Amino acid sequence: MRKDENQPLIFEVSKEGRIGYSLPVLDVPEVDLEDVLPADLIRAEDPDLPEVAELDIMRHYTALSNRNHGVDSGFYPLGSCTMKYNPKINESVARFPGFADIHPLQDESTVQGAMELMYDLQEHLKEITGMDEVTLQPAAGAHGEWTGLMMIRAFHEANGDFGRTKVIVPDSAHGTNPASATVAGFDTVTVKSDENGLVDLEDLKRVVGPDTAALMLTNPNTLGLFEENILEMAAIIHEVGGKLYYDGANLNAVMNKARPGDMGFDVVHLNLHKTFTGPHGGGGPGSGPVGVKKSLLPYLPKPVLIKTEDGYTFDDDRPDSIGRVKPYYGNFGINVRAYTYIRSMGPDGLKAVSEYAVLNANYMMRRLAPYFDLPYDRHCKHEFVLSGRRQKKLGVRTLDMAKRLLDFGYHPPTIYFPLNVEEGMMIEPTETESKETLDAFCDAMIQIAEEAENSPETVQEAPHTTVISRLDEAQAARKPVLRYQKEKAE
Amino acid sequence: MEHRYLPMTAQDKEAMLKTIGVDSIEELFSDIPEKVRFKGEYNLKPAKSESALLKELSRLAAKNADHRNYASFLGAGVYDHYKPVIVDHVISRSEFYTAYTPYQPEISQGELQAIFEFQTMIAELTGMEIANSSMYDGGTALAEAGMLAAGHTKRKKILVSQAVHPESREVVRSYALGQSIEVEEVPLKDGVTDAGALKELLDGDVAAVMIQYPNFFGQVENLKALEPVIHDSGALFVVSANPLALGALEAPGNFGADITVGDAQPFGIPEAFGGPHCGYFAVSKKLMRKVPGRLVGETVDEEGRRGFVLTLQAREQHIRRDKATSNICSNQALNALAASVAMTALGKKGVREMAVQNIAKTRYMKQQLEGAGLSVEFGGAHFNELTVKLGKSVKALNVRLLEQGIIGGYDLGRTYDGLQGHVLVAVTEQRTKEEIDLFVQELAAFVQEKEAAHA
Ligand SMILES: Cc1ncc(COP(=O)(O)O)c(C=O)c1O
């Protein structure tokens, strides 16, 4: 990549008179808009969209892609996000015309293949999670959280229980957990972590009560640690009549080792764009299926896909359902990819996935532990969190180290999350990386730790090799420029 | 276990276990209490080789009637449109599709700039000042608009026109339930929102009025006439707009809409059995800090070069947690990119041309239907959909059409009480005159057939 001037915006390469399309030839009489629309409703001024020929469009986006780092570009150990390899067969299958070019409202008899795939995916996810039923409707993890919480709310309300206004989340929880609780109409209560990085049982006992609707838990938690006291926690919550919600973002650690359904969870959402290789797409589309136990079955969102003697059908007659959470049936295209992946791996493969994900994380943790603070020194699962406290004392912040990693061609770990670790760096290698890759990354981290001691400015001034240096985020927020305006280009 | 996605060799594994200081991988799972350990093996289908799986899944796909083999007259919110081939080539660049949310701007300028361009294009089309980076889909975007409006106005009621997509209305209701917001529907009059009834329903409690443009029946709502009525009550004016239609129709922003949402599926995004599509969310400036989802802003780097970053993040869940404007996190970035490429390929001229073609083909269909003695309901202006009265089973019609290689329209009786035996037909630029003529011919024959034939 060259370090050069601005990459022009597509609007800046636009020139009147150029086109980049090939519409069908109009084979019916033309219309004059004045004849068919009230004058007031006819667009007076064309939208200022770019006018660019096809090659220049391709060059523009190719140039942009060259300024972007994906898993295929290099190692991407972004904790909590499971940036594993995105298999190419998934992409091919999702583009089969029989999956890509079908309409959600076609007669069911004409889409039985798609419905069979969805049904079989649900069956696979039920087995993997140990839940009684799965809906594929939520579009992403956060959407699944909200869907699950709405079901919990419906359950309590159906029992005449309107006083359950609180959802408990650990201080290490992902931000979507409390945010989803709010959208579902609950107040959030935070429960503290103990010195081992696990939910503090005493604190949990203190915050539960008759107003507890649910506890949301990620297990392994966002520190990459398995909540060993899960059964005790389940008992505490269930005893007061609350429900236990499983944030499945971290399922990659425990496939074939432990299932949320067997740990006492009543609801679980999965991020198919993490464990099950839906590509992250630069920020989606994802897919966030939700699994539930029996007590919540009546509340599943509409419609529910069922299998009958005559084939598959969408059941809309669900009087107790929380309603529709999304038009149609979820992000089918992502579900096709996840299904293809599960079928490529099989049961043995999925088990190996979790084993290697955990092996890789522990290996890196042990290699890096001498050079950084490791706040919770025990076997991790698929990810671990280091603290940059030691380097901070030298004037080098975690942000600086993250930026320095860019010079080595790596995407940095998730930083400053979870919130309960000072200067945190959350590293998730995934199982699809080779030992050579892990070693090279560790070597880079160790070099950076040494630089922090010997030449801190090298780290503080990083990155040195990217197409652009650190950006002024304060200015972006103070004077927001959220779109291109032509006048300015002159 | 050898697998093409798992690169570790037995030797690697040995060396790594040694570094960790354990004898087996199993030991690393010793913190999982015995009682919750999954014993045994998943009861799942065994793994398949690459070619065997491709074969199996292509057979499964072939069980579906797809739109390369069938001419689709089905719309109702999802459309078979021209997709510039270049779109799929761009989104197949794995620097885009294998990246995640651009939290590290130095190595994510490509994605960030692409989103900035998307925000600009959506703002241009809708005539709004600000657009975000995407939402899950048009339905949830509308629901989020309702929540924003309730928060902004501190009012607890939403009025949604019955001419809004029935499934979107249901999603609005589901979200509203969580927020204890009341939802009331505004009835129809001749296939558009009844302005008189709306006036009656409006009071000081209404946070937002939701109008679809063009509406579910393809009718063009008169936003100009509705706007003063809505704003007089202090409610926000929320428009759900098909962005393609905005190539021909005046932009909602120019009618004073406070929030315009919709789905960019018509721009280069496959129907894919209903998703993933691409919601968009555009607002007037006063609502900037209440927008859900991600926003990309322009700034400069240390050397003064232009660059792009995620901005105004204090709205978002990862900073604000339970006080965030929304819980949305991952949404539809790659499809926003697809829509950007399609909007770029079509460009200023093509978007208008494509929109006008839709109008022309729909008008042609209408004339042919009427010429064949069929009754097309509702008198107003159409975009690319029509309501046809059959007085007979839409399902039976669609069975017949399927035999002719046609996917028929949407059975309005499914969701509208008064519209049993009415079919909603979409005619996009993809439908040829020949296909339209065949459709009309079959429809006319079906309606004329004696009822007994299908009883
Ligand atoms: C632990 C955890 N929970 C929930 C989420 C939310 O998922 P999504 O981004 O798909 O909405 C994420 C990831 O972003 C996560 O890491």
Side-chain angles (χ1 to χ4, degrees), chain A residues 21 43 65 127 324 328 472, chain B residues 93 125 167 174 299 353:
Chain A
Y21 64 92
R43 185 150 194 144
S65 73
E127 173 69 7
R324 209 173 277 277
Y328 320 117
D472 189 342
Chain B
R93 291 197 63 92
L125 269 171
E167 297 205 3
S174 305
T299 185
E353 195 178 327

Side-chain angles (χ1 to χ4, degrees), chain B residues 42 56 80 85 133 137 173 175 179 232 278 283 289 293 298 326 346 369 377 404 432:
Chain B
Y42 281 156
E56 180 192 319
D80 174 24
V85 168
S133 69
D137 53 53
R173 281 188 186 280
Y175 273 80
Q179 298 287 296
D232 279 351
C278 178
V283 297
R289 286 174 201 277
E298 183 184 317
S326 161
L346 286 164
L369 287 166
E377 300 285 274
Q404 300 295 321
T432 62

